């Protein structure tokens, strides 16, 4: 059984901080918010053997292995835990992506107002959200109706953000900012977002200076935002060095659900690639037999420390090379995808 350390949580009104438990099942959201299910093991006397600890987000707990508990860390009783097996890790990873799907659906349905998805490059953050947006907008697309969702990629200026928020201000509208870190790092943009995502009933945002651009497009100086917003980013909010930025991002994080996919170790990334390949979807567009697919995955595993990036995107790059250069793909990969030895 794997173990987790709850960084911040609550059980029956009692605060839990840095305590470890044997994990029964990972993060889920219920009517009263997020929770994880763990074994009590006598930590809370006269309570059930299996308990649900309330946590706000996945980032409020971390997986621990027997050999990674630091000394001096306050650790409650953990009856038995072992190093996480490959299978358990795959289940944990799959669960995270299932949560990404569920949370995306909830944002699209308007039940969740805002979500931040954070994780390393090329692991499937955009894919997971886009898939749900596409499903939700399919009928409107066919009917040629105005879409109630848009994915903004790359950069956005504060005024561009204001315009986008206006365009998608109706309930049931969703605005996705994918890799738009510039708006998370800009004071004016961040203040707009804070207004748009505030937890009060009315979320009114205003553009304070006079703007020809807004006037020309018939956009008012202030309006009420009733839509939902999803941010997808590589930034790790809790690890930002600048205190000013951290304060800003904390304010945003407190208004949003924060889903850190935490595929930070090499092992997790390799397992994610194996998992998607095993599901039969990663190389679906290639005419590869099982042997060819396994060869790519094995080659990536063997060269994990030499590849510039361990990601699904890298697997697809290597698949391209394998298709174009069936005899020479390993050499081509070494030259184009690996760091110099
Ligand atoms: N579940 C999946 N099934 C099949 N292909 C996938 C899946 N998830 C991701 N991919 C593919 O892997 C590649 C990388 O995924 P994606 O662009 O979603 O990564 P990302 O986490 O958003 O990366 P970045 O941070 O660099 O934007 C894409 O080509 C995508 O189509
Ligand atoms: Mg992306």
């Amino acid at each position: 059984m794997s173990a987790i350390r709850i960084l911040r949580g609550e059980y029956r009104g009692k605060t839990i901080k840095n305590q470890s438990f044997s994990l029964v099942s990972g993060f889920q959201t219920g009517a009263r918010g997020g929770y994880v299910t763990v074994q009590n093991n006598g930590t809370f006397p006269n309570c059930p053997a299996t308990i649900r600890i309330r946590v706000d987000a996945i980032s409020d707990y971390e997986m621990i292995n027997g050999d990674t508990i630091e000394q001096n860390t306050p650790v409650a009783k953990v009856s038995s835990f072992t190093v996480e097996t490959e299978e358990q890790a795959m289940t944990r990873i799959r669960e995270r992506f299932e949560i990404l799907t569920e949370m995306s659906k909830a944002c699209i349905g308007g039940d969740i107002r805002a979500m931040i998805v954070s994780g390393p490059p090329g692991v499937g953050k955009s894919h997971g959200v886009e898939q749900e947006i596409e499903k939700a907008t399919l009928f409107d697309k066919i009917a040629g109706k105005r879409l109630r969702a848009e994915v903004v990629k790359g950069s956005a200026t504060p005024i561009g953000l204001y315009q986008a928020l206006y365009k998608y201000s109706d309930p049931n509208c969703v605005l996705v900012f994918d890799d738009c870190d510039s708006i998370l790092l800009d004071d004016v943009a961040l203040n707009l977002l804070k207004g748009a995502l505030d937890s009060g009933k009315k979320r009114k945002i205003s553009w304070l200076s006079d703007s020809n651009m807004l006037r020309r497009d018939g956009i008012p100086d202030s309006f009420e935002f009733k839509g939902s917003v999803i941010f997808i980013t590589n930034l790790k909010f809790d690890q930002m060095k600048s205190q000013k930025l951290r304060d800003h991002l904390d304010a945003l994080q407190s208004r949003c659900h924060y889903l850190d996919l935490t595929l930070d170790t090499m092992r997790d990334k390799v397992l994610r690639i194996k998992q998607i390949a095993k599901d039969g979807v990663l190389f679906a567009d290639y005419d590869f037999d099982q042997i060819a697919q396994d060869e790519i995955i094995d080659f990536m595993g063997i060269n994990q420390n030499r590849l510039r990036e361990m990601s699904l995107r890298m697997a697809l790059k290597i698949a391209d090379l394998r298709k174009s250069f069936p005899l020479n793909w390993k050499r081509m990969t070494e030259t184009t995808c690996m760091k110099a030895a």
Side-chain angles (χ1 to χ4, degrees):
M1 181 172 285
S2 50
I4 58 166
R5 181 181 298 122
I6 305 276
L7 305 173
R8 290 167 294 272
E10 190 193 295
Y11 179 67
R12 295 195 174 174
K14 289 197 181 72
T15 301
I16 298 174
K17 249 187 154 182
N18 290 330
Q19 272 185 278
S20 301
F21 297 88
S22 300
L23 180 66
V24 176
S25 69
F27 184 80
Q28 292 180 50
T29 37
R32 294 172 59 214
Y35 63 89
V36 281
T37 311
V38 299
Q39 283 188 354
N40 183 358
N41 287 333
T43 308
F44 297 98
N46 306 321
C47 290
T50 300
I51 58 173
R52 285 179 175 184
I53 296 182
R54 290 183 57 184
V55 290
D56 285 336
I58 282 182
S59 54
D60 284 348
Y61 72 91
E62 60 191 18
M63 303 299 299
I64 46 176
N65 294 326
D67 54 357
T68 59
I69 297 184
E70 293 151 30
Q71 276 179 358
N72 306 326
T73 306
V75 170
K77 287 181 216 164
V78 177
S79 64
S80 63
F81 56 86
T82 51
V83 175
E84 192 184 34
T85 64
E86 222 172 71
E87 207 176 313
Q88 285 168 334
M90 284 222 195
T91 307
R92 167 173 57 80
I93 293 166
R94 194 181 288 285
E95 198 173 59
R96 293 256 156 97
F97 280 86
E98 279 167 6
I99 291 171
L100 175 63
T101 304
E102 290 310 311
M103 300 276 275
S104 302
K105 278 187 192 156
C107 274
I108 294 165
D111 296 329
I112 286 180
R113 197 175 275 195
M115 157 168 88
I116 300 167
V117 183
S118 154
V123 296
K125 300 183 296 298
S126 304
H127 183 91
V129 174
E130 274 170 17
Q131 235 181 3
E132 292 313 310
I133 297 271
E134 264 165 41
K135 276 189 216 162
T137 54
L138 186 64
F139 287 115
D140 288 346
K141 242 183 221 162
I142 294 170
K145 280 198 203 156
R146 196 187 139 219
L147 299 186
R148 60 187 186 90
E150 183 173 320
V151 181
V152 179
K153 284 198 182 205
S155 70
T157 57
I159 197 159
L161 171 68
Y162 186 82
Q163 285 172 310
L165 287 170
Y166 178 71
K167 195 169 161 196
Y168 293 92
S169 56
D170 287 342
N172 278 334
C173 283
V174 189
L175 204 46
V176 181
F177 293 101
D178 191 357
D179 282 330
C180 291
D181 293 346
S182 60
I183 60 167
L184 298 176
L185 307 176
D186 178 286
D187 281 353
V188 178
L190 218 52
N191 281 329
L192 286 176
L193 286 175
K194 281 191 207 169
L197 304 178
D198 226 340
S199 37
K201 275 224 161 74
K202 281 216 162 191
R203 295 177 279 154
K204 199 171 164 199
I205 55 174
S206 311
W207 187 259
L208 295 176
S209 52
D210 188 41
S211 159
N212 282 333
M213 197 154 126
L214 296 183
R215 219 175 303 125
R216 198 186 53 221
D217 293 343
I219 299 176
D221 296 342
S222 72
F223 62 91
E224 199 184 337
F225 181 77
K226 294 179 184 164
S228 300
V229 178
I230 301 177
F231 301 96
I232 306 176
T233 178
N234 298 137
L235 295 179
K236 276 205 162 280
F237 278 38
D238 23 16
Q239 287 173 17
M240 300 301 284
K241 292 233 164 57
S242 143
Q243 185 60 42
K244 180 176 164 242
L245 200 59
R246 269 236 303 275
D247 290 347
H248 253 339
L249 295 179
D250 278 352
L252 194 62
Q253 200 176 347
S254 92
R255 288 161 169 79
C256 296
H257 290 265
Y258 183 71
L259 176 59
D260 186 346
L261 292 170
T262 59
L263 286 177
D264 297 316
T265 63
M266 179 63 81
R267 179 181 186 238
D268 278 2
K269 288 178 194 164
V270 173
L271 288 178
R272 175 72 181 152
I273 297 167
K274 274 191 187 170
Q275 186 169 60
I276 300 292
K278 216 162 130 192
D279 288 349
V281 282
L282 184 59
F283 301 122
D285 293 341
Y286 299 82
D287 229 357
F288 292 154
D289 58 16
Q290 195 57 49
I291 295 172
Q293 298 190 22
D294 291 348
E295 263 181 11
I296 295 175
I297 303 291
D298 291 346
F299 182 70
M300 289 183 80
I302 292 164
N303 292 291
Q304 54 180 243
N305 294 320
R306 290 186 61 204
L307 286 167
R308 286 185 206 283
E309 179 185 291
M310 182 57 74
S311 66
L312 294 169
R313 196 174 285 129
M314 180 59 85
L316 294 174
K317 267 189 208 170
I318 300 177
D320 283 341
L321 293 173
R322 165 127 217 179
K323 193 173 163 199
S324 306
F325 310 101
L327 301 175
N328 207 12
W329 63 276
K330 288 188 182 172
R331 182 87 195 98
M332 299 301 256
T333 304
E334 272 174 20
T335 315
T336 60
C337 304
M338 290 188 191
K339 298 171 237 172

